[in-house]
Amino acid sequence: MKDVAARAGVGLKTVSRVVNGEPGVTPETERRVQEAIDALGFRRNDSARVLRKGRTASIGLVLEDLADPFYGPLSRAVEEVARAHGALLINGSSAEDPDREQELALALCARRVDGLVIIPAGDDHRYLEPEIRAGVATVFVDRPAGQIDADVVLSDNFGGARDGVAHLIAHGHRRIGFIGDMPRIHTAAERLRGYKAAMEDADITVADSWMSLGVTDPERVRRAAEEMLSGSTPVTAIFAGNNRVTVTVVRVLAEQQRPVALVGFDDIELADLLDPGVSVVAQDAAALGRTAADRLFRQLDGTLLGPERIELPTRLITRGSGELPPAG
Amino acid sequence: MKDVAARAGVGLKTVSRVVNGEPGVTPETERRVQEAIDALGFRRNDSARVLRKGRTASIGLVLEDLADPFYGPLSRAVEEVARAHGALLINGSSAEDPDREQELALALCARRVDGLVIIPAGDDHRYLEPEIRAGVATVFVDRPAGQIDADVVLSDNFGGARDGVAHLIAHGHRRIGFIGDMPRIHTAAERLRGYKAAMEDADITVADSWMSLGVTDPERVRRAAEEMLSGSTPVTAIFAGNNRVTVTVVRVLAEQQRPVALVGFDDIELADLLDPGVSVVAQDAAALGRTAADRLFRQLDGTLLGPERIELPTRLITRGSGELPPAG
DNA sequence: TAGGGCCTGGACAACGTTGTCATATGCAAG
DNA sequence: CTTGCATATGACAACGTTGTCCAGGCCCTA
């Protein structure tokens, strides 16, 4: 900028004015400055600007795994909102590791992001207290924050799972299996709770062998599914706790002789093309991201009162697999 | 930091030394400083640090659409490499709009990212010349840069398409349709070239009605597919130019009476569960991202000679749809 | 024509950090 | 006891920008 000023024969501040489109510069002067800028290929250094102004016009997104198709639309929605507010998005993946989540969140704070959207991996977020006090807007998505009071945007995991299981029950099933992630993950716990509630509402006693918790890698999901399909009281339907589980269960069911009903949590691509189509309880990932980001910027505007918990509804999509009658 | 220094009763520079783990500080002093840091909840302001040091330890990623499942693994791979180099990833989507790509890339440069990984939307990247001269490492992925000489990492779109079409020919097809994106997109043009090459190699004259270019939204893809399947010389097989096209074509084929063979470019999830399984020419998105990011950091190390063009091989995955014999 | 107000332009400090250099302290060797 | 050296610490400038404040020139009015 110094060079530009020298070349244009004007003061430093005048260049600054031109660069930022501030008023109070003669067209003639502006032209000279613009010329110098072009000639030197000058571009404002936002680091210095940030240092001076305090705000960085960037927000951080800590998610679990970008390669998970569920987070693509979410991340995209957050970016869209950020863009609408003229902010850039810095993101990183925690890989479901609480330490990495913390490291990442703090690194983003050190970069002085204006706000943070976090899909938590851990369950203790007190480490963020100093940052929040220092003015970093914070919104948790998909899972609630641990040990601190903060904005949270999540799907109605409990209600969605309950409805999904009730749907199976309505189609005549009573022996219904549940395969889900570790209950220490909030979403998994809520979905399990929804499963149990639906079963209880229908006065069905759940056998332990119908529930498989904490399995997540395909091989173990496969084994879990196969076990609950054999045994002495085999299930006639399965409720899959997340998209990865659903995909594996679909594979297992394709190999079965008799038809087994299936409802999955989270939508999966091409679910309608399979035979039968896979019925799912769908969450709106984009809406989650959009809502969270909106809320973040409203925190920054100061138009918000206190932390809130927002629950977005899920939607049951029937495609065939959830409407199969019990067999065997 | 000033406050920390005051509280610990030491100089500014000593605090800086402690924060950065530099040597030359008595354990006793270090303890006092550490104590003050904890008490005040101090965290280093990386903006100021960046301003002073010149390097930001962050790289930018400009991609087309995060919600496209192809870019999830790519983005994740880039992030992984960045993380290994202690860098953060800032990203944004161009939405296939050249102006937006430029705006985004320049915004990232203004933030003084150390390097840029770009999936180009436009075909003129001369706007980056000043930045590259100024030392911003730059790598293009998936599609080559326009009008400038820069590192490029892409899949062998030509070879992949040629092999895919040749595969159909090997299974007896001669009337093969091609549905692809606008040829102004490099990947689309290359794949079309591959299709034509394979047909020519087999001495097949391609009818204009077999090729549909520039269609991209599902409704038009559907119509294009239906047209080439009816007509006077209906095709017996279709080569789909990208994952979105493939999905739509699968839907259309499911409604057809007679079996139609299909090979798609890009893998799609659950392709193996469909009936028939969808044969595809798969690119390794993660490898693309990893290679590009590696190259970026090697540019920054200075261990690179000049711009290079790296082509990654594709892989034909046979699952059934591409092995159907011609019918009708 | 003189005085006042407006408009343009510039000097300077400050943001928070780090690199450079100088100073102080302690210890060993001469 | 002095000199020399190593080590610990701090003072200060600089990174590039913007906010504040002031100066000078112009026009308008009385």
Side-chain angles (χ1 to χ4, degrees):
Chain A
M1 190 176 261
K2 214 171 37 187
D3 300 338
V4 175
R7 175 162 185 139
V10 301
L12 217 49
K13 182 64 207 188
T14 302
V15 178
S16 174
R17 274 193 266 263
V18 172
V19 170
N20 294 295
E22 288 170 26
V25 182
T26 323
E28 160 60 15
T29 310
E30 176 166 355
R31 195 192 50 74
R32 278 216 321 281
V33 172
Q34 200 52 255
E35 210 172 83
I37 287 179
D38 292 343
L40 296 171
F42 165 82
R43 197 141 303 135
R44 184 178 61 199
N45 182 330
D46 274 0
S47 299
R49 174 169 224 254
V50 157
L51 179 59
R52 190 67 235 270
K53 308 205 77 155
R55 280 278 166 104
T56 58
S58 60
I59 67 173
L61 173 61
V62 179
L63 35 71
E64 193 250 302
D65 178 6
L66 248 179
D68 183 328
F70 176 68
Y71 294 116
L74 195 156
S75 168
R76 184 227 172 98
V78 172
E79 194 219 321
E80 213 101 291
V81 176
R83 183 182 149 78
H85 284 81
L88 282 178
L89 185 64
I90 310 184
N91 64 7
S93 309
S94 67
E96 204 69 80
D97 172 356
D99 291 338
R100 199 155 147 186
E101 172 209 307
Q102 171 167 352
E103 179 194 333
L104 204 49
L106 291 179
L108 291 169
C109 289
R111 279 293 164 81
R112 291 298 187 268
V113 293
D114 296 338
L116 229 36
V117 174
I118 302 184
I119 294 170
D123 48 12
D124 183 353
H125 297 94
R126 277 173 298 184
Y127 69 87
L128 278 173
E129 277 176 341
E131 311 298 335
I132 292 175
R133 262 201 307 278
V136 179
T138 314
V139 179
F140 290 79
V141 192
D142 193 38
R143 310 168 192 172
Q147 316 279 335
I148 64 171
D149 195 25
D151 268 328
V152 184
V153 180
L154 18 72
S155 285
D156 180 10
N157 290 287
F158 168 75
R162 193 192 45 199
D163 295 351
V165 174
H167 182 71
L168 289 168
I169 294 174
H171 280 82
H173 295 273
R174 296 189 61 83
R175 298 199 307 274
I176 303 173
F178 177 92
I179 305 181
D181 217 326
M182 293 162 289
R184 76 164 181 78
I185 298 179
H186 175 264
T187 51
E190 283 293 291
R191 293 170 196 176
L192 176 59
R193 202 163 66 80
Y195 163 78
K196 286 180 176 165
M199 296 297 265
E200 193 174 324
D201 286 349
D203 284 325
I204 302 173
T205 310
V206 176
D208 279 348
S209 64
W210 296 351
M211 290 184 297
S212 172
L213 310 179
V215 304
T216 174
D217 78 292
E219 208 32 64
R220 290 186 51 206
V221 170
R222 164 174 290 275
R223 228 171 324 147
E226 282 167 352
E227 271 168 31
M228 58 180 70
L229 284 168
S230 50
S232 55
T233 54
V235 300
T236 62
I238 292 180
F239 187 83
N242 65 44
N243 52 359
R244 290 180 303 246
V245 171
T246 305
V247 169
T248 306
V249 171
V250 168
R251 292 213 158 83
V252 173
L253 296 192
E255 300 160 4
Q256 296 291 311
Q257 319 296 339
R258 60 199 160 83
V260 175
L262 167 68
V263 171
F265 207 107
D266 289 339
D267 204 359
I268 54 179
E269 235 193 334
L270 297 187
D272 56 324
L273 284 181
L274 298 174
D275 183 31
V278 181
S279 297
V280 297
V281 176
Q283 2 180 12
D284 190 341
L288 280 175
R290 207 171 329 116
T291 309
D294 270 340
R295 199 145 176 100
L296 188 82
F297 283 103
R298 279 171 52 205
Q299 276 187 33
L300 291 171
D301 287 352
T303 62
L304 243 43
L305 293 146
E308 214 173 297
R309 175 197 180 93
I310 301 178
E311 243 175 47
L312 265 45
T314 57
R315 200 161 48 94
L316 179 68
I317 304 178
T318 57
R319 297 202 180 99
S321 76
E323 294 73 48
L324 295 173
Chain B
M1 189 175 261
K2 215 171 37 189
D3 301 337
V4 174
R7 176 165 185 136
V10 301
L12 219 48
K13 181 66 208 188
T14 302
V15 178
S16 172
R17 274 192 265 262
V18 172
V19 170
N20 294 296
E22 289 170 26
V25 181
T26 323
E28 159 60 12
T29 311
E30 177 166 354
R31 195 192 51 73
R32 278 218 320 282
V33 172
Q34 201 50 255
E35 210 170 82
I37 288 179
D38 293 341
L40 296 170
F42 165 82
R43 198 140 303 135
R44 183 179 61 197
N45 183 330
D46 274 0
S47 298
R49 174 168 225 254
V50 158
L51 178 59
R52 189 68 234 268
K53 307 205 76 156
R55 281 277 168 107
T56 59
S58 61
I59 66 173
L61 173 62
V62 179
L63 33 72
E64 193 250 301
D65 177 7
L66 249 178
D68 184 328
F70 175 68
Y71 294 117
L74 194 156
S75 168
R76 185 227 172 98
V78 171
E79 194 219 320
E80 213 102 289
V81 176
R83 184 182 149 78
H85 285 81
L88 282 179
L89 184 63
I90 309 184
N91 63 9
S93 309
S94 68
E96 203 69 80
D97 172 356
D99 291 338
R100 198 156 149 185
E101 171 209 308
Q102 172 168 351
E103 179 195 332
L104 203 51
L106 291 180
L108 292 168
C109 289
R111 279 293 163 80
R112 292 296 187 269
V113 293
D114 295 338
L116 229 36
V117 175
I118 301 185
I119 295 168
D123 48 12
D124 183 353
H125 297 94
R126 277 173 298 184
Y127 69 87
L128 278 173
E129 277 176 341
E131 311 298 336
I132 293 174
R133 262 201 308 277
V136 178
T138 312
V139 179
F140 290 79
V141 192
D142 193 38
R143 311 167 191 173
Q147 316 281 335
I148 64 171
D149 196 24
D151 269 328
V152 183
V153 180
L154 17 71
S155 285
D156 180 10
N157 291 288
F158 169 75
R162 193 191 46 201
D163 293 353
V165 174
H167 181 71
L168 288 168
I169 295 173
H171 280 80
H173 296 272
R174 295 188 63 81
R175 299 199 306 275
I176 302 173
F178 177 93
I179 305 181
D181 217 325
M182 294 161 288
R184 75 166 182 78
I185 298 178
H186 175 264
T187 50
E190 282 294 292
R191 292 170 197 176
L192 174 61
R193 203 164 64 81
Y195 163 79
K196 287 178 174 166
M199 296 297 265
E200 193 174 325
D201 286 350
D203 282 327
I204 302 174
T205 310
V206 176
D208 278 350
S209 64
W210 297 350
M211 289 184 297
S212 172
L213 310 178
V215 304
T216 172
D217 77 293
E219 207 32 64
R220 292 186 52 205
V221 169
R222 164 173 289 275
R223 225 168 331 144
E226 282 166 353
E227 271 168 31
M228 59 179 68
L229 284 169
S230 50
S232 56
T233 54
V235 301
T236 61
I238 292 181
F239 186 84
N242 65 45
N243 51 1
R244 287 179 308 244
V245 171
T246 305
V247 169
T248 305
V249 171
V250 168
R251 291 212 157 85
V252 173
L253 296 192
E255 300 159 4
Q256 296 290 312
Q257 319 297 337
R258 59 200 162 81
V260 175
L262 169 68
V263 171
F265 207 108
D266 288 338
D267 204 358
I268 55 180
E269 236 194 332
L270 298 187
D272 56 324
L273 285 181
L274 298 174
D275 182 31
V278 181
S279 297
V280 298
V281 176
Q283 5 179 11
D284 189 342
L288 279 175
R290 207 171 327 117
T291 308
D294 270 340
R295 199 143 175 102
L296 188 82
F297 283 103
R298 278 171 52 206
Q299 275 187 34
L300 289 171
D301 288 351
T303 61
L304 242 43
L305 294 145
E308 213 172 299
R309 175 197 182 94
I310 303 177
E311 243 176 47
L312 266 44
T314 57
R315 201 161 48 93
L316 180 68
I317 305 179
T318 58
R319 296 201 180 102
S321 77
E323 295 73 48
L324 294 173

